[in-house]
Amino acid sequence: MKSTGRLLLLALLAAGIALAVIYRDRFDVAALEAWIGEAGAVAPLAFMALYAIAAVLFLPGSVMTLAGGALFGPVLGTFYNLTGATLGAALAFLVARYLASDWVARRTGGRLKQLIQGVEAEGWRFVAFVRLVPLFPFNLLNYALGLTRIRFLHYLIATWICMLPGALAYTYLGYAGREAVAGGEGLIQKGLLALALLAVVAFLPRLIAIIRKGKLLPTDELKRRLDAGEDLLLLDVRKPEDYHGELGHISGAVNIPLEELPQRLDELGEYQERPVATVCRTDRMSAAAARLLVQQGFADVHVVRKGMVSWNQQGYPVEK
């Protein structure tokens, strides 16, 4: 019975997406304004329901967001846009979880399984990251996250809160566009504010990258932790000739060159939830390695401050 329900839901979803693709060219801001304008008092509810359906059927959310700003203004428009988008994200998440999460859990292995486990370990933090950084395809991401075991409530709250900056910026852009067409007052100020909001959204990826950069670990603190026998992976990301070269390497350090790290992450799977310290000559390559590890779901990553240069200046022992 359950498999029949899944097949029926899958067929309905496929038919809906096919229709959405066929009539995609009719889905624009002007058409939306005409449809919603005829809804009268229930226009906000109709708009949010339509936004949710659009998210499930892979229709462009930007069209809905601009229309929301034009129809309801910057404040109510942001609320309606954000709520409709979150409802759509929730529906897609639940559909994917119902249809295929058990199958994915049984069938995946190797690198893909580690990737999913990394996302699940990050939980709401991963959801917050991908919502704040508008570089990930929204509609597809909703389904992909439904295949993980991230808690639904965490997903829902992080989605609503962390999509707020982008929703506000694009809603205001839709509102400013309508005002420009109508010849309203203060067009220059409204246009500049819309551009400022878009600039903030465009800066978010850089800001999040800074926030997610591995924490700096002074060499004296690293020495203390190693001497205490802590279960810490010391990852040296220099090339082998540098690892065995003039500055030497710290005893017990695992050498995986930075350029090989993306292909060799499987070797570090047991440290997904345990402390990892990256080290290089200074801390440029090790910072890049830390960012990569964080993006792949490693939960406790540190960058050794000034790397092997500082370690040698302190007179700590090395192997060559």
Side-chain angles (χ1 to χ4, degrees), residues 136-312:
F136 300 88
F138 173 72
N139 297 332
L140 184 60
L141 189 63
N142 298 330
Y143 284 98
L145 290 173
L147 300 177
T148 70
R149 299 191 183 278
I150 291 175
R151 293 184 181 181
F152 175 68
L153 185 60
H154 292 180
Y155 167 83
L156 196 66
I157 294 172
T159 293
W160 200 94
I161 293 174
C162 295
M163 287 199 305
L164 178 58
L168 178 60
Y170 285 98
T171 301
Y172 197 90
L173 184 63
Y175 164 71
R178 186 200 68 183
E179 291 291 290
V181 172
E185 297 182 358
L187 291 180
I188 294 178
Q189 294 91 330
K190 291 173 182 175
L192 290 175
L193 179 56
L195 289 174
L197 289 171
L198 289 173
V200 170
V201 172
F203 179 72
L204 278 175
R206 183 174 179 83
L207 176 63
I208 298 302
I210 293 171
I211 293 173
R212 289 173 63 90
K213 181 180 178 181
K215 300 176 283 277
L216 288 173
L217 180 67
T219 48
D220 56 349
E221 175 64 13
L222 173 63
K223 179 70 162 54
R224 184 195 68 77
R225 294 178 67 171
L226 292 174
D227 288 346
E230 288 192 21
D231 183 20
L232 177 146
L233 170 65
L234 181 59
L235 180 63
D236 194 316
V237 296
R238 295 175 295 165
K239 295 180 178 180
E241 56 267 31
D242 297 319
Y243 179 77
H244 296 289
E246 179 185 357
L247 293 176
H249 60 267
I250 301 170
S251 177
V254 174
N255 180 221
I256 300 181
L258 177 60
E259 58 270 21
E260 298 178 16
L261 186 57
Q263 291 77 40
R264 297 177 61 182
L265 286 172
D266 288 349
E267 300 174 28
L268 311 179
E270 63 181 294
Y271 281 90
Q272 197 93 24
E273 296 296 319
R274 291 151 70 184
V276 178
T278 59
V279 64
C280 62
R281 178 181 174 83
T282 54
D283 50 31
R284 279 178 52 183
M285 289 193 303
S286 53
R291 286 194 295 272
L292 174 63
L293 292 176
V294 169
Q295 289 167 4
Q296 296 301 317
F298 285 77
D300 189 13
V301 183
H302 305 259
V303 177
V304 179
R305 186 193 297 270
K306 297 184 180 179
M308 292 304 300
V309 169
S310 175
W311 185 271
N312 277 267

Side-chain angles (χ1 to χ4, degrees), residues 114-144:
Q114 286 190 353
L115 178 61
I116 293 174
Q117 289 174 341
V119 170
E120 292 170 345
E122 285 268 286
W124 69 265
R125 293 184 296 272
F126 182 83
V127 179
F129 172 66
V130 296
R131 296 310 190 195
L132 284 169
V133 180
L135 301 176
F136 300 88
F138 173 72
N139 297 332
L140 184 60
L141 189 63
N142 298 330
Y143 284 98

